[in-house]
Amino acid sequence: MTTLPGQLNPTPRLLLGPGPSDAHPRVLSVMSTPLLGHLDPQFLEIMTETQTMLREVYQTKNQLTFPVSATGMAGMETCFVNLIEPGDPVVVCSIGYFGTRMIDVAGRTGAKLTVKEKPWGQVFDLNELRDILKETRPKVLGLVHAETSTGALQDISQVGKLCHEFGTLLITDCVTTLGCTPVKLDEWEVDAAFSCSQKGLSCPPGMSPISFSPRAVDALKSRKTKVQSWYLDLTSIQSYWSGDRAYHHTAPITMVYALREGLRLVLEEGLEARYARHLRNHAALRAGLEALGLEYIAAESCRLPQVNAVKIPAGVDDVAGRKHLLNEFGIEIGGGLGDFKGKAWRIGIMGYNSRSICVLSVLAALEHVLRGAGVKVTPGSGVAAAELAYSA
Amino acid sequence: MTTLPGQLNPTPRLLLGPGPSDAHPRVLSVMSTPLLGHLDPQFLEIMTETQTMLREVYQTKNQLTFPVSATGMAGMETCFVNLIEPGDPVVVCSIGYFGTRMIDVAGRTGAKLTVKEKPWGQVFDLNELRDILKETRPKVLGLVHAETSTGALQDISQVGKLCHEFGTLLITDCVTTLGCTPVKLDEWEVDAAFSCSQKGLSCPPGMSPISFSPRAVDALKSRKTKVQSWYLDLTSIQSYWSGDRAYHHTAPITMVYALREGLRLVLEEGLEARYARHLRNHAALRAGLEALGLEYIAAESCRLPQVNAVKIPAGVDDVAGRKHLLNEFGIEIGGGLGDFKGKAWRIGIMGYNSRSICVLSVLAALEHVLRGAGVKVTPGSGVAAAELAYSA
């Protein structure tokens, strides 16, 4: 190697895409804390504290609740590989890109997989789900709570109960909801949930908090085959996180520090206050985006507050627009995935970044970008509409 | 929740077990850097820099070289699940606890698995390996380079060539060697290697640097079945790390920052200087440990410099001794695993912690602990022997 790369010194960004969102400064700060060993009594205590807070945020008493040592997608895989054995009937009801991922993940477990899909931007209603369960009688139903590719929120509040009428376990993707909008695992009778660290919890990406209900744990215990993944095998990891603290793999100490701080921030604020904050900032952002002439993809009845997916106006180039935002204003928003590639922008105001200054900044910058691309926009209209919404 | 846990404020430790070792202060410092998006051009550049440095440290030109977004054990699983399809003949030659893990991981891939084992503390010689390959003609041979459970270094410098005589791919566990002792993937013709971030690279745990040779990439490309793990599927991850930077999963940004800084530190020092430093500190530690009457498990011919596994003297309680070290001196060392549970102590001087002050501290503290447990030790003898070794 001729010359080494220089000191890390990135130009600061404001991360308003579908994730990662900016980590809270207090989270960044704890990440410089020197390491502890993964079996140090002090670290075991930190693990317990983290789990206790995580249960609170997931609104569950589930004993088997802890962060998987990898990013959100590993959490998805953890849920499927632990609950499914080859030949098990599984249904994935997909409403977008991350539903498609569930199909791919579930398909690798040897499951007898049935796929049900809705046009992107829509969600399933309870009657449709009932019919699907009746028809397929699956061991597991997989459903994405917040489909960040479309900005749609799938109501899952009644789905767990429904599943249990059919002896089905419900796996839900809470990657984009946890810490932003209500996730009530016990009340909703969700059997296995996974999330991430870099959205509603305001940490860097790198951990996937999961939670398994007693029903799911029973299914895990009655497996006849080994879990196909060693790294994600809850039958052994749980003895590190839930049992006798026996060594499984070396936990990512610093990421656990971060998650602990992120969870402290959530609970200091309080769940209800946090949800209300996300709704308030969403209302302002939405007013501003609509004033700029941007149209939402998901219907109002199932719209996510934390990820705002809008159609890119005719004549505006996706990549050029986002580059403009990034290079001139340091603001990152997301492009479209899959069917929506080149057609959608996704604006995330999650966790720490669900703040009025983020809303106003992105509206002001977007207005500039749209005008630059030849769209007619009344100067200041986005910000003005947001201001009005805030004062309403 | 009645009261929230307080601010993170752990009592400092000196981590001299088999890992994690202390992260370098410069690594801890970069971890407070605000996030970038995982597709930000700045982050893509950071990824490229990290990969370039990683190739240098692995001494390889392998294109497919990058850190898996999880801890070292996920790297092991990545190597096996990507190279093995159901029915493939695989041999694991085990010399200790992590060999046993390879057996478990390989066994979950549907491989036709043959296990060869040596008594813990010993290693395989080339003739033995040749006989095994002749007998079994496997697609893959799995071998641990440094068996941290016994402190034994398995010479792998000629094993790749040997494997290739039989059309076999060599997977090696370099978790404890990378950044401490030579790892020369190209010269040694290793086909797939994995490591960790928390030992020789002086980062927190959370990433597993892997590297696949062109031969291994060919095997990957000619798979007939999907890789059983979605999260670890190199056929898709490589398009994020090696190809068109297409989104696979959200990279653990902060851990990549850390790894980049850890690799910069390795290359600033220089590989040869770094290996020499590890040998020098090992020689001193060894002189000290032997002066204290502690006996190594592994024969001198195959002894690891960075993890020193010694027998616990008769009459000394494992757990009580380590507790004493931890609580009185803030020093963590490791206990024994598997066969050596309660019988061995493992002292790691790796990466940033391969320093004379660490060597002298642990010797002084161990002397105190041994004397406290009733072992007859001449006061100062461990430190004196180490000092003598340093001045030799």
Side-chain angles (χ1 to χ4, degrees), chain A residues 43-54:
Chain A
F43 186 69
L44 300 181
E45 177 65 21
I46 285 169
M47 289 165 67
T48 301
E49 291 166 349
T50 303
Q51 288 177 282
T52 305
M53 290 191 287
L54 194 51

Side-chain angles (χ1 to χ4, degrees), chain A residues 1 5-6 11 13 28 32 40 42 56 71 77 101 104 108 226-227 229 231 233 248 260 264, chain B residues 1 5-6 11 13 28 32 40 42 56 71 77 101 104 108 226-227 229-231 233 248 260 264:
Chain A
M1 206 157 187
T11 302
R13 305 298 199 197
L28 291 177
S32 296
D40 190 304
Q42 294 187 95
E56 192 89 353
T71 69
E77 188 161 329
R101 292 222 156 163
D104 193 356
R108 295 177 195 228
K226 265 194 187 181
V227 175
S229 168
Y231 191 66
D233 181 352
H248 178 264
R260 179 183 180 277
R264 262 167 36 97
Chain B
M1 205 159 186
T11 302
R13 305 298 200 198
L28 291 177
S32 297
D40 190 303
Q42 294 188 95
E56 193 89 355
T71 69
E77 188 162 330
R101 290 222 157 162
D104 193 354
R108 295 177 196 229
K226 267 194 186 180
V227 174
S229 167
W230 185 94
Y231 191 66
D233 181 352
H248 178 263
R260 180 183 180 279
R264 262 168 36 95

Side-chain angles (χ1 to χ4, degrees), chain B residues 288-347:
Chain B
L289 292 173
E290 289 176 347
L292 294 176
L294 296 166
E295 194 186 331
Y296 275 80
I297 286 167
E300 192 173 346
S301 57
C302 65
R303 200 174 287 162
L304 271 177
Q306 61 272 48
V307 176
N308 295 260
V310 293
K311 295 175 191 160
I312 300 173
V316 177
D317 182 76
D318 169 28
V319 174
R322 286 189 287 127
K323 260 196 188 153
H324 189 164
L325 266 181
L326 191 68
N327 294 336
E328 181 130 348
F329 302 101
I331 296 178
E332 177 181 276
I333 64 168
L337 287 174
D339 293 3
F340 289 137
K341 195 168 178 171
K343 297 177 193 160
W345 281 337
R346 295 180 298 151
I347 302 163

Side-chain angles (χ1 to χ4, degrees), chain B residues 17 21 27 61 65 71 82 93 151 162 183 239 242 248-249 276 331 378:
Chain B
S21 284
V27 170
K61 296 197 161 39
T65 302
T71 69
N82 279 278
C93 292
L162 179 68
V183 175
S239 67
S242 300
H248 178 263
H249 64 274
I331 296 178
T378 312

Side-chain angles (χ1 to χ4, degrees), chain A residues 100-154:
Chain A
T100 310
R101 292 222 156 163
M102 264 194 183
I103 295 165
D104 193 356
V105 170
R108 295 177 195 228
T109 60
K112 216 176 107 251
L113 180 64
T114 303
V115 171
K116 300 288 179 179
E117 291 176 284
K118 291 278 265 189
W120 286 31
Q122 297 182 22
V123 295
F124 286 89
D125 71 30
L126 212 59
N127 287 329
E128 292 168 322
L129 292 172
R130 179 182 294 278
D131 289 344
I132 291 168
L133 290 171
K134 238 184 221 164
E135 174 201 336
T136 56
R137 306 271 163 175
K139 178 179 178 185
V140 165
L141 170 69
L143 209 51
V144 175
H145 189 202
E147 182 53 76
T148 65
S149 63
T150 65
L153 181 67
Q154 168 72 55

